[in-house]
Amino acid sequence: MGNSISSSSQKASAVDTASAIFTEENTLMKEGSVVTLKNNFFKLFSELEHCTERVQKQKVLEMNGIMFQLHDDDLKSIFTVELFTGIFNMLKDKKKSFLNALLLLKYVGFWKVMKGISLDFTNKSLLKELKKMIIKEKDMKEKRNEKLLTDLCECIMMIFYQSLTGELHALSVSLLLKVALKKGNDKKTREEVEMALLALNGISKPLEQKYYLNEITDIIQYHQEHHNLTCLANQSAFHFLISRFKEDDSLKEVVLQKMHFVSEATKELDELNGSLNWDTHEKNFSEKMRVRIITRWLYLIFNTFRKEFNEIYGEVVELTACVSRVYALAKDYEMKIRKKCINLFYRIKITIGEDIFILAESGAANIVLERMCRPILDDNQTAKSKEILLSLSERLYKKKTDLKIDKKSWQMKKRAMFEMLEEEGYEDIITSFHEVM
């Protein structure tokens, strides 16, 4: 597999974010109000038809910068039928605007996925045109352009993710995995790998293990040794594998034991968290992308958490402690992250059962108590926090346990927990809470 890269390069790789075509120097961002940004977006789009290819590309890059700045709902409002119809018309003009239309479509797909936007419509003409292009290029055989084929598949996967079936679906998976398997650590390769893995997240149809398992296992394990993936690419690789759980239960053991998902997620979150300056609202492009990726990790952990996690108790304590650190630093700046942390603690509470002490050992109980003491409370978050505290207090005051451990061991564990709670300063609060309830 080659030599491991230096420790300094590993650190840089670990906190790297989105591919270079989406990085700060290419987004050409201009600050402005939402209305101004949206107006500028459509103004730029209307001008594309009358530009040279070079100027056209410059305007597409500016449009990408605007999409980055817009918040989720505002971004969704510019993904209109008119926009996709315009891109469809550009794609048909292959002499002048084809490559720029494809670039714009990739940008649209990228931000659609990164900001979790669901489209309320399907542009059938555009989808039909993309499929036609894929079939035409696929049938070229010796002269076929695999880079173009991959770009087309990425666009469909990110924008029309449920629309590929049969042979085209298998072709797309094969092409994207082939790109994702590239082992290079140069900027261009990392861009291509990241985009392919992000697009693979759009696969919702069942897949047999033979079509992907060896490849995705190799991608993740190679990264764990050589750190060749960006943090978004690594998260996307796990996302692709974990999304197959619903169709193949045997993958849980692969993810937890062979891929070491819990410890990997802990490491990634800690490095992302440590690379951010949470004390300022004015984050640059790279920092905002890291916040997005932290959000994606929390979402993935939430959806992955299973009873099987009981088997790796120590790793789960470390993961929960890591999430507590994310909350402690991000709570005043990123409401979405704060809510996802509380939701994850609640998921742990309802999943982990008898081992709810994880929430105390990791410091998550501190977070929940702090949440309950806020002067302004969110009903949903407060309700979940209350249930977590109630479960914790009930476990502490329960005289016997369903766990298959002897009474002496149980008493020792409770005594250690009470001592820790008292040392942390919230044993009296939980005791009072238990008595009131």
Side-chain angles (χ1 to χ4, degrees):
M1 286 188 179
N3 297 326
S4 178
I5 61 177
S6 68
S7 59
S8 61
S9 296
Q10 289 176 2
K11 184 67 176 177
S13 172
V15 298
D16 194 11
T17 54
S19 56
I21 56 172
F22 300 106
T23 51
E24 195 163 9
E25 62 267 26
N26 283 323
T27 54
L28 302 175
M29 293 179 286
K30 297 178 182 178
E31 296 298 327
S33 69
V34 170
V35 173
T36 301
L37 287 170
K38 289 164 72 171
N39 287 341
N40 286 342
F41 181 90
F42 286 112
K43 179 176 181 293
L44 288 164
F45 186 62
S46 67
E47 294 169 350
L48 292 178
E49 184 181 352
H50 310 291
C51 299
T52 64
E53 190 172 349
R54 183 182 63 82
V55 174
Q56 199 176 66
K57 182 174 181 179
Q58 189 77 359
K59 290 183 182 293
V60 168
L61 292 174
E62 289 188 56
M63 293 171 71
N64 180 50
I66 291 172
M67 285 188 281
F68 162 69
Q69 290 185 75
L70 290 172
H71 292 293
D72 302 3
D73 290 339
D74 298 315
L75 181 62
K76 183 176 180 178
S77 70
I78 69 171
F79 289 168
T80 61
V81 174
E82 290 74 21
L83 173 66
F84 288 102
T85 300
I87 294 175
F88 164 70
N89 291 331
M90 288 177 66
L91 282 173
K92 296 199 75 174
D93 181 16
K94 294 181 176 60
K95 291 183 179 179
K96 177 182 174 183
S97 61
F98 175 76
L99 292 178
N100 286 324
L102 202 55
L103 179 61
L104 176 57
L105 199 58
K106 286 183 74 169
Y107 287 152
V108 168
F110 179 86
W111 293 117
K112 174 185 175 292
V113 173
M114 284 301 294
K115 299 193 178 185
I117 293 172
S118 176
L119 297 178
D120 298 325
F121 63 90
T122 301
N123 190 299
K124 293 182 180 179
S125 296
L126 177 57
L127 176 60
K128 185 177 179 181
E129 183 68 16
L130 290 171
K131 284 183 176 180
K132 186 170 73 174
M133 291 177 183
I134 289 174
I135 293 170
K136 181 180 178 181
E137 197 62 40
K138 174 181 70 71
D139 292 341
M140 294 287 284
K141 295 182 180 178
E142 292 182 5
K143 294 183 179 181
R144 83 178 189 180
N145 184 337
E146 289 214 355
K147 173 66 170 62
L148 174 59
L149 259 179
T150 302
D151 288 343
L152 291 167
C153 290
E154 286 173 348
C155 288
I156 286 187
M157 287 293 191
M158 290 188 291
I159 297 171
F160 306 102
Y161 68 98
Q162 292 180 322
S163 301
L164 285 180
T165 57
E167 186 180 356
L168 290 186
H169 185 254
L171 173 67
S172 294
V173 173
S174 173
L175 284 170
L176 295 178
L177 283 173
K178 184 177 180 180
V179 172
L181 279 163
K182 290 184 178 181
K183 299 295 195 290
N185 205 24
D186 59 283
K187 187 177 181 179
K188 184 174 183 296
T189 301
R190 285 156 67 87
E191 289 174 23
E192 293 175 354
V193 170
E194 179 184 81
M195 198 66 174
L197 286 168
L198 190 67
L200 280 167
N201 288 183
I203 296 176
S204 59
K205 293 179 172 59
L207 274 176
E208 293 182 43
Q209 283 190 8
K210 64 181 181 181
Y211 292 117
Y212 68 86
L213 187 57
N214 289 339
E215 291 83 354
I216 206 71
T217 299
D218 182 38
I219 289 165
I220 292 173
Q221 290 185 322
Y222 185 87
H223 168 70
Q224 289 174 347
E225 182 178 351
H226 298 275
H227 306 272
N228 64 306
L229 298 178
T230 67
C231 50
L232 176 58
N234 188 30
Q235 190 276 335
S236 297
F238 270 110
H239 186 119
F240 169 77
L241 188 56
I242 287 167
S243 64
R244 312 266 75 79
F245 275 9
K246 57 188 176 183
E247 66 203 40
D248 193 338
D249 199 59
S250 68
L251 290 174
K252 293 175 185 176
E253 184 176 352
V254 174
V255 169
L256 292 181
Q257 304 298 335
K258 192 173 182 179
M259 300 289 97
H260 309 289
F261 170 74
V262 174
S263 59
E264 187 73 10
T266 303
K267 177 177 71 69
E268 288 287 310
L269 276 176
D270 262 339
E271 290 180 342
L272 284 163
N273 194 29
S275 71
L276 281 164
N277 178 10
W278 289 105
D279 293 331
T280 175
H281 290 280
E282 299 301 321
K283 296 181 177 64
N284 61 32
F285 176 85
S286 181
E287 288 175 322
K288 288 181 179 179
M289 286 300 300
R290 289 170 193 174
V291 170
R292 282 279 171 188
I293 298 167
I294 287 174
T295 305
R296 287 173 63 86
W297 270 112
L298 292 172
Y299 175 81
L300 187 61
I301 295 165
F302 179 88
N303 284 332
T304 309
F305 213 93
R306 302 288 198 281
K307 289 183 178 180
E308 289 87 349
F309 279 40
N310 284 341
E311 300 169 11
I312 46 176
Y313 184 93
E315 289 183 39
V316 175
V317 171
E318 287 299 316
L319 174 62
T320 313
C322 172
V323 175
S324 299
R325 291 190 289 274
V326 171
Y327 182 99
L329 288 171
K331 63 182 179 183
D332 294 326
Y333 309 103
E334 301 293 342
M335 184 179 295
K336 183 179 287 188
I337 286 180
R338 185 183 68 201
K339 288 184 176 181
K340 284 189 178 296
C341 290
I342 295 292
N343 289 342
L344 180 54
F345 296 150
Y346 184 74
R347 181 65 176 264
I348 292 171
K349 191 276 290 188
I350 63 176
T351 304
I352 212 73
E354 295 283 347
D355 281 330
I356 194 172
F357 286 156
I358 280 176
L359 295 174
E361 288 184 54
S362 65
N366 271 325
I367 301 294
V368 173
L369 279 165
E370 185 271 345
R371 178 74 208 165
M372 293 290 291
C373 294
R374 279 179 170 261
I376 300 175
L377 301 178
D378 176 281
D379 289 345
N380 182 267
Q381 299 295 296
T382 304
K384 289 180 178 177
S385 299
K386 184 192 74 173
E387 287 194 40
I388 290 170
L389 286 180
L390 181 59
S391 295
L392 184 57
S393 64
E394 285 177 342
R395 272 309 276 126
L396 285 170
Y397 288 96
K398 196 171 184 179
K399 293 187 177 179
K400 63 179 182 178
T401 176
D402 297 328
L403 289 175
K404 294 180 180 179
I405 60 176
D406 61 69
K407 184 177 179 180
K408 185 177 179 180
S409 296
W410 174 238
Q411 291 300 327
M412 288 177 63
K413 190 170 186 177
K414 285 214 308 184
R415 188 178 305 114
M417 188 57 55
F418 271 117
E419 288 173 358
M420 192 203 78
L421 292 173
E422 186 173 15
E423 182 180 341
E424 293 292 333
Y426 56 81
E427 189 267 344
D428 288 341
I429 300 175
I430 288 187
T431 301
S432 301
F433 181 74
H434 173 75
E435 291 172 353
V436 170
M437 293 304 295

